[in-house]
């Protein structure tokens, strides 16, 4: 399937130009156009695009506000667009795929898209690896998953954390945050690798950036666009992506 793309810019002619450049040369599906922060955030959450063209200057907000609202770990591949080059450094600080300075021509746009498609190809490879890890994880007999995790406190002392005390796990680059009833702990392990070592009857991945413990789920309700909201007993609200819904249902039956 072609990559799903969202265009976010408060100028209609700018959105039209990006769409025309996309449709002229690239096999993509433009699934939405938005002009302000609130609609952009809703669009990203409900339409689940793989790529976003994001204007830095929006109505009463900035593109960085959109990124902060979604969260860096949940943000799709992003190409920032703006008329002011002083934002370039910050754009790359938040791991933008590329940066388009208005007015840009077709060649510069093509370069940005080639970089974006290369990034998406890397994510696809990572997704395939994740599927393999999930298959391995599903084959782990009940009760034979990881029981304890060694974590460090802020004072650098170490403590053994029982996995049954973990409410949910949050991706943080090559690390994860383990959320418990007494706080959160930083642990040096990727979400995918840790997922493969946990008991599949107790833990399930619900998003590319989150794993939950069934024991601490309080409520699951529709979010929109095929996604669901999970409310934990701690009050935390997490997103169950439609891409993980089938695996979630299977895990729920096993648990």
């Amino acid at each position: 399937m072609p990559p799903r793309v969202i265009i976010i810019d408060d100028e209609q002619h700018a959105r039209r130009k990006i769409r025309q450049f996309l449709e002229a040369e690239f096999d993509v599906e433009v699934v939405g156009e938005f002009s302000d922060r609130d609609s952009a955030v809703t669009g990203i959450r409900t339409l689940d695009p793989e790529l976003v063209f994001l204007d830095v200057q929006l109505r009463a907000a900035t593109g960085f506000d959109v990124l902060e609202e979604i969260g860096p770990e949940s943000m799709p591949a992003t190409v920032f667009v703006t008329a002011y080059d002083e934002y370039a450094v910050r754009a790359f600080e938040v791991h933008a795929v590329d940066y388009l300075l208005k007015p840009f021509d077709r060649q510069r746009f093509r370069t940005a898209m080639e970089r974006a498609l290369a990034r998406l190809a890397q994510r696809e490879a990572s997704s395939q690896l994740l599927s393999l890890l999930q298959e391995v994880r599903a084959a782990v007999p009940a009760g034979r998953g990881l029981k304890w995790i060694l974590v460090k406190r802020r004072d650098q002392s170490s403590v053994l954390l029982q996995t049954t005390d973990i409410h949910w796990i949050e991706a943080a680059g090559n690390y994860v945050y383990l959320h418990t009833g007494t706080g959160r702990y930083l642990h040096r392990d990727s979400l995918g690798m840790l997922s493969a070592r946990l008991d599949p009857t107790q833990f399930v991945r619900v998003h590319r950036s989150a794993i939950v413990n069934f024991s601490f789920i309080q409520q699951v309700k529709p979010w929109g666009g095929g996604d669901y909201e999970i409310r934990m007993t701690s009050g935390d609200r997490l997103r169950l992506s439609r891409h993980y819904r089938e695996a979630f249902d299977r895990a729920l039956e096993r648990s």
Side-chain angles (χ1 to χ4, degrees):
M1 294 180 63
R4 296 159 60 84
V5 180
I6 280 180
I7 303 168
I8 303 169
D9 198 304
D10 60 359
E11 298 177 344
Q12 184 176 7
H13 71 275
R15 298 196 302 272
R16 185 184 305 116
K17 179 179 181 179
I18 293 173
R19 179 184 281 270
Q20 289 174 345
F21 280 4
L22 284 170
E23 293 178 346
E25 295 188 48
F26 300 97
D27 181 22
V28 299
E29 181 185 5
V30 179
V31 295
E33 295 184 14
F34 305 96
S35 61
D36 60 81
R37 182 186 63 178
D38 292 345
S39 64
V41 169
T42 300
I44 291 171
R45 285 175 171 165
T46 58
L47 298 175
D48 199 22
E50 285 82 30
L51 175 62
V52 172
F53 284 88
L54 179 58
D55 188 18
V56 172
Q57 297 83 28
L58 299 172
R59 298 172 186 171
T62 71
F64 299 112
D65 294 328
V66 173
L67 185 145
E68 290 170 2
E69 179 72 19
I70 296 295
E73 293 298 330
S74 300
M75 191 70 182
T78 304
V79 175
F80 279 95
V81 185
T82 186
Y84 303 99
D85 60 2
E86 65 262 30
Y87 292 104
V89 173
R90 188 177 178 194
F92 287 113
E93 284 178 347
V94 295
H95 309 295
V97 172
D98 205 346
Y99 179 89
L100 289 173
L101 182 63
K102 299 177 182 179
F104 51 86
D105 59 18
R106 191 177 295 273
Q107 179 56 46
R108 180 66 186 88
F109 184 86
R110 185 181 299 119
T111 299
M113 269 302 294
E114 288 171 353
R115 290 174 179 170
L117 293 174
R119 176 73 64 85
L120 294 180
Q122 291 175 351
R123 290 191 175 185
E124 177 64 25
S126 297
S127 177
Q128 292 173 358
L129 176 60
L130 172 62
S131 297
L132 177 60
L133 288 171
Q134 288 177 328
E135 291 177 9
V136 172
R137 176 171 171 259
V140 176
R144 292 186 58 186
L146 195 63
K147 299 296 184 182
W148 299 88
I149 298 178
L150 186 66
V151 298
K152 284 190 175 182
R153 296 191 176 107
R154 290 184 177 180
D155 62 4
Q156 297 305 304
S157 63
S158 297
V159 60
L160 274 174
L161 187 67
Q162 196 166 7
T163 55
T164 53
D165 292 332
I166 299 171
H167 292 204
W168 65 285
I169 305 169
E170 176 186 10
N174 292 325
Y175 293 76
V176 293
Y177 281 113
L178 308 175
H179 293 260
T180 73
T182 57
R184 70 175 189 175
Y185 299 86
L186 187 65
H187 176 63
R188 188 171 184 174
D189 206 347
S190 70
L191 195 71
M193 295 303 293
L194 183 57
S195 174
R197 299 164 61 204
L198 293 169
D199 185 348
T201 66
Q202 185 171 15
F203 292 91
V204 63
R205 194 159 184 173
V206 296
H207 193 269
R208 61 189 178 192
S209 61
I211 294 172
V212 300
N213 184 341
F214 279 117
S215 299
F216 297 99
I217 293 178
Q218 184 178 68
Q219 184 182 44
V220 179
K221 64 179 182 180
W223 181 316
D227 292 351
Y228 285 75
E229 179 187 80
I230 297 174
R231 184 168 183 175
M232 308 298 290
T233 55
S234 61
D236 292 324
R237 299 173 186 269
L238 308 175
R239 175 183 172 189
L240 169 58
S241 169
R242 64 178 182 273
H243 300 301
Y244 292 90
R245 177 63 194 277
E246 185 176 344
F248 179 87
D249 290 343
R250 290 198 304 267
L252 184 61
E253 290 175 2
R254 289 198 302 268
S255 68

